[in-house]
Amino acid sequence: MHTEFDVIVVGAGHAGCEAALASARMGMSTALLTINLDTIAQMSCNPAIGGLAKGQLVREIDALGGEMAKVTDETGIQFRMLNTKKGPAVHSPRAQADKKAYQLSMKQRVEGQKNLFLRQEVADDLIIDNNKKVAGIIGQSGLKYKARAVILTTGTFLKGLIHIGGFITSGGRIGELSSEKLSDSLRMAGFEVGRLKTGTPPRLNGRTIDYTILTPQYGDEDPRPFSFATEKIERSQVPCYITHTNPATHRIVMSNVNRAPLYTGQIRSVGPRYCPSLEDKIVRFSGKDQHQVFLEPEGLNTLEVYCNGISTSMPHDVQEEIVHSIAGLESAEIVRYGYAIEYDFVPPVQLRPSLETKPVENLFHAGQINGTSGYEEAAAQGIMAGINAALKIQGKEPFILGRSEAYIGVLIDDLVTKGAEEPYRMFTSRAEYRLLLRHDNADRRLMKYGYRYGLISEQQWRTLQEKEEAIAETLAYMDKKMIGPDSLTKILSRPDRTFDHLRAVDSWLSQKRLPKEAKEQVEIEVKYKGYIERQHSQIEKFKKMEDYKIPPGVDYQNISELRKEARQKLLQIRPVSLAQASRISGVSPADISILMIYLAGKMKKTS
């Protein structure tokens, strides 16, 4: 029986699949342990991938060699580019996926991956040696799985507790087991363990919905693929539908709020601020008389419909009243009731930027165990943890993306520097260099890393090189070619001019077969040149602080000039650079100046 591996990944959700695939593709013998093989890559909540800022994460995962974008392209049933009326910095791709097809496609990829071994097993305990290094996992079956590195991607399964009104049951998802012992093992190993909450709405039988009075929402006519490796989306698209809650809905909620677990004290943990339950929205925003509800099909071979916007843990009878009060849903049949789930997580300030934990060496965490929400945030952490676990075993430097390089860099830096008091969700506003971190240039920013670690094929790499050459050649030609007093570059920089206008007046451009994505890059680089140069200048200025490394053994307690709160925060987080230290809440600019003077003095003494 094969029980010894290089890497063990616990949990086969979106983080676990990306972590296991990356590790195995980097040559590591990898075991993927999951409570149920039938729910690998299950979409626990809405059947969609991407969205504002999340779409950028998915394209970055793809550029690094991950699978989420490819599976979305294969199984998507509606593709939309969001925010197209705004600038390119905030354009974000989103797709409805066929929920079951997505799960089966990812499962097949995991099953077929060389070096990757699947096991249906509940992880109960960590094996930790005397040097505080992880050495494996003990399963519920009693089997000991040995490994040189372990990645925990446990989702909502750590002591998961499900709430529907006064009904409470344990489970990682409704109808599934929870992991009851692993978080106790983490506490024993010296981790602080917290508690968070999330929720999901009821699902309906589409046959019982009156679509004739609802507003359809269609996908894009020419859908853009998520993956840089996908040439075209050929799948048929289906519409979603929009309806709204109304004053009658709100009266039902308010008259039953004394039965809502959120307000009876039954649920004590913090939920996601940016995706609140219906009862929370109605109580907090009492002046609003309606909230939007998106009815999203769960697949092509099912009539089940997801009600995006009415997540709730109200009792069954109240959920029935709520649904039937909404236009188009008067006769709708609920096939699954909404619920809230509380679960254990490990506050992420206990992580290094590589996602390796501080208390236990060679142990990595990714996904909701780190206090995040969302499939995309989980998958992004998963691929980074998988890469870094492999690099640690190989004795190589960790792979850490900066905030100026990727949304993934922003995500991980936020987690390890600021922690997560509530479920973390990615937004474009979190990225200070978002004009540089667009979804359309993720390949140009990150594919070099995927190629370096063996996750990007030679063919993909050659395609990117050809694209870069075409962009550079075109920009150089446009700078030199004049039409009257102006260069083509200056003409294109005007708001009312596009690349196609130039092709109409210049024979070289009209004959050059420039790929659509390369043409897009040329146009963005020209039109936003001033803004892009300004952001590059800001990055260069800040790079000095990023490059100012802090030795790992600094004794902050002995820097008496630092304020007490700053000393405590610096000790807890142990920043790797002056820039990271400056982003810690509770550390002031004055504290950074004191720290810089202290470090400069230490360097003089050792030189």
Side-chain angles (χ1 to χ4, degrees):
M1 184 181 295
H2 192 178
T3 57
E4 293 191 18
F5 306 92
D6 293 318
V7 176
I8 292 173
V9 180
V10 177
H14 303 282
C17 288
E18 296 291 357
L21 287 167
S23 168
R25 288 168 179 172
M26 290 177 70
M28 299 295 106
S29 170
T30 305
L32 180 56
L33 308 185
T34 178
I35 292 175
N36 186 351
L37 285 171
D38 293 330
T39 55
I40 289 173
Q42 176 97 322
M43 290 181 162
S44 304
C45 206
N46 64 319
I49 295 292
L52 301 180
K54 291 169 176 282
Q56 281 87 331
L57 284 173
V58 179
R59 297 213 96 197
E60 290 179 353
I61 293 163
D62 184 66
L64 290 174
E67 287 299 301
M68 178 171 268
K70 295 183 183 70
V71 177
T72 303
D73 287 345
E74 182 184 304
T75 63
I77 56 177
Q78 189 201 88
F79 292 80
R80 293 178 64 222
M81 189 63 68
L82 308 182
N83 266 353
T84 54
K85 293 181 180 178
K86 298 182 180 179
V90 292
H91 293 179
S92 300
R94 184 182 190 274
Q96 292 295 128
D98 186 309
K99 181 176 177 176
K100 185 56 69 174
Y102 182 98
Q103 187 230 319
L104 290 174
S105 177
M106 187 67 84
K107 182 174 188 279
Q108 188 176 44
R109 291 162 193 253
V110 168
E111 289 170 336
Q113 178 60 49
K114 181 184 175 184
N115 295 327
L116 183 51
F117 304 87
L118 283 169
R119 294 288 188 277
Q120 184 161 295
E121 176 72 274
V122 178
D124 273 356
D125 290 291
L126 294 168
I127 302 172
I128 299 171
D129 67 19
N130 293 332
N131 297 316
K132 292 290 282 184
K133 285 186 179 181
V134 74
I137 288 286
I138 300 175
Q140 192 179 67
S141 65
L143 283 174
K144 290 185 178 180
Y145 299 87
K146 295 182 181 179
R148 300 160 71 189
V150 171
I151 306 171
L152 298 184
T153 68
T154 50
T156 59
F157 282 74
L158 291 180
K159 292 188 185 293
L161 203 62
I162 291 166
H163 302 262
I164 306 176
F167 171 75
I168 303 173
T169 186
S170 62
R173 274 187 293 256
I174 198 78
E176 295 189 43
L177 296 173
S178 60
S179 174
E180 293 296 316
K181 294 184 178 180
L182 190 55
S183 50
D184 294 332
S185 183
L186 286 163
R187 285 189 180 91
M188 290 288 289
F191 288 92
E192 175 196 346
V193 177
R195 197 94 169 134
L196 289 175
K197 167 257 173 188
T198 189
T200 191
R203 274 71 156 178
L204 311 177
N205 185 333
R207 176 177 55 80
T208 61
I209 295 172
D210 183 2
Y211 290 109
T212 62
I213 62 170
L214 302 181
T215 304
Q217 183 185 62
Y218 297 101
D220 295 338
E221 285 187 18
D222 183 19
R224 181 166 186 161
F226 261 100
S227 175
F228 292 99
T230 305
E231 290 187 12
K232 190 172 179 61
I233 301 297
E234 302 287 0
R235 288 173 70 85
S236 59
Q237 297 197 68
V238 299
C240 296
Y241 289 84
I242 300 171
T243 184
H244 297 84
T245 63
N246 53 60
T249 314
H250 297 199
R251 284 194 297 272
I252 293 165
V253 170
M254 292 306 297
S255 63
N256 288 281
V257 78
N258 61 327
R259 301 174 63 198
L262 274 178
Y263 294 99
T264 62
Q266 184 175 307
I267 293 175
R268 298 182 181 180
S269 38
V270 180
R273 182 192 315 181
Y274 302 104
C275 188
S277 66
L278 177 63
E279 49 267 38
D280 203 16
K281 282 193 287 192
I282 289 171
V283 170
R284 282 166 53 192
F285 307 109
S286 55
K288 290 198 70 171
D289 60 4
Q290 67 173 26
H291 294 282
Q292 205 164 47
V293 182
F294 292 91
L295 301 178
E296 301 174 347
E298 296 226 331
L300 298 179
N301 297 306
T302 179
L303 293 180
E304 197 167 338
V305 173
Y306 179 91
C307 300
N308 193 341
I310 55 170
S311 175
T312 182
S313 58
M314 296 288 266
H316 299 90
D317 60 307
V318 180
Q319 292 193 39
E320 293 278 357
E321 288 188 66
I322 288 169
V323 166
H324 296 150
S325 71
I326 296 171
L329 310 183
E330 292 88 350
S331 301
E333 175 192 341
I334 297 177
V335 294
R336 302 181 203 246
Y337 290 95
Y339 63 88
I341 182 167
E342 293 184 286
Y343 55 95
D344 284 350
F345 83 111
V346 180
V349 291
Q350 299 167 95
L351 295 173
R352 305 181 194 282
S354 63
L355 297 180
E356 183 182 18
T357 69
K358 295 172 185 175
V360 178
E361 192 177 348
N362 295 351
L363 177 64
F364 296 78
H365 290 177
Q368 281 176 288
I369 192 173
N370 291 336
T372 59
S373 65
Y375 311 142
E376 304 83 1
E377 290 90 341
Q381 294 168 72
I383 192 168
M384 295 298 287
I387 291 169
N388 278 317
L391 292 175
K392 185 72 187 285
I393 290 171
Q394 294 167 358
K396 296 178 180 177
E397 288 294 306
F399 174 41
I400 296 167
L401 286 167
R403 297 181 71 90
S404 62
E405 291 184 283
Y407 271 85
I408 295 175
V410 175
L411 165 67
I412 293 175
D413 183 67
D414 279 354
L415 292 174
V416 303
T417 304
K418 301 173 184 176
E421 300 294 326
E422 61 188 49
Y424 178 99
R425 180 178 176 182
M426 179 52 74
F427 293 102
T428 53
S429 58
R430 295 191 190 273
E432 52 268 53
Y433 306 116
R434 56 186 170 272
L435 181 55
L436 303 180
L437 308 184
R438 306 182 308 275
H439 80 89
D440 58 80
N441 69 354
D443 57 340
R444 303 180 71 193
R445 290 184 283 115
L446 301 179
M447 201 170 277
K448 59 188 175 187
Y449 299 119
Y451 181 67
R452 176 192 300 172
Y453 298 125
L455 304 176
I456 291 293
S457 69
E458 287 288 343
Q459 179 58 51
Q460 281 181 285
W461 183 243
R462 280 198 301 273
T463 299
L464 175 62
Q465 299 315 300
E466 290 166 4
K467 176 179 170 181
E468 291 287 13
E469 289 167 8
I471 292 168
E473 182 186 19
T474 304
L475 287 169
Y477 174 80
M478 288 169 53
D479 277 341
K480 293 177 182 175
K481 180 62 186 286
M482 307 294 288
I483 294 185
D486 296 327
S487 70
L488 290 179
T489 299
K490 188 169 183 180
I491 294 169
L492 182 57
S493 67
R494 296 169 187 161
D496 61 340
R497 288 292 177 264
T498 66
F499 191 84
D500 287 335
H501 283 119
L502 300 190
R503 297 183 74 172
V505 296
D506 184 84
S507 59
W508 187 86
L509 286 180
S510 67
Q511 292 170 23
K512 185 170 179 59
R513 298 183 64 184
L514 198 66
K516 183 179 179 182
E517 288 197 349
K519 183 178 72 173
E520 176 185 55
Q521 293 300 295
V522 168
E523 192 162 324
I524 289 172
E525 286 201 16
V526 170
K527 287 189 175 295
Y528 294 89
K529 182 179 180 182
Y531 298 103
I532 290 171
E533 287 177 348
R534 193 179 308 159
Q535 289 215 336
H536 278 301
S537 176
Q538 291 168 351
I539 290 167
E540 282 304 310
K541 287 178 183 177
F542 202 67
K543 194 173 186 296
K544 294 176 182 177
M545 288 184 73
E546 292 285 6
D547 290 342
Y548 202 128
K549 300 302 180 187
I550 300 176
V554 171
D555 187 357
Y556 296 104
Q557 290 287 25
N558 284 336
I559 310 176
S560 57
E561 296 86 354
L562 288 172
R563 294 174 307 108
K564 183 179 179 181
E565 182 186 8
R567 288 199 300 270
Q568 290 172 341
K569 289 292 182 71
L570 289 164
L571 273 168
Q572 180 190 31
I573 292 167
R574 291 215 164 270
V576 297
S577 69
L578 211 57
Q580 188 187 359
S582 73
R583 294 191 289 269
I584 299 171
S585 59
V587 177
S588 70
D591 294 318
I592 294 299
S593 296
I594 291 165
L595 181 57
M596 190 184 296
I597 293 166
Y598 171 83
L599 293 171
K602 293 284 282 185
M603 287 171 70
K604 279 183 182 178
K605 287 180 183 178
T606 56
S607 62

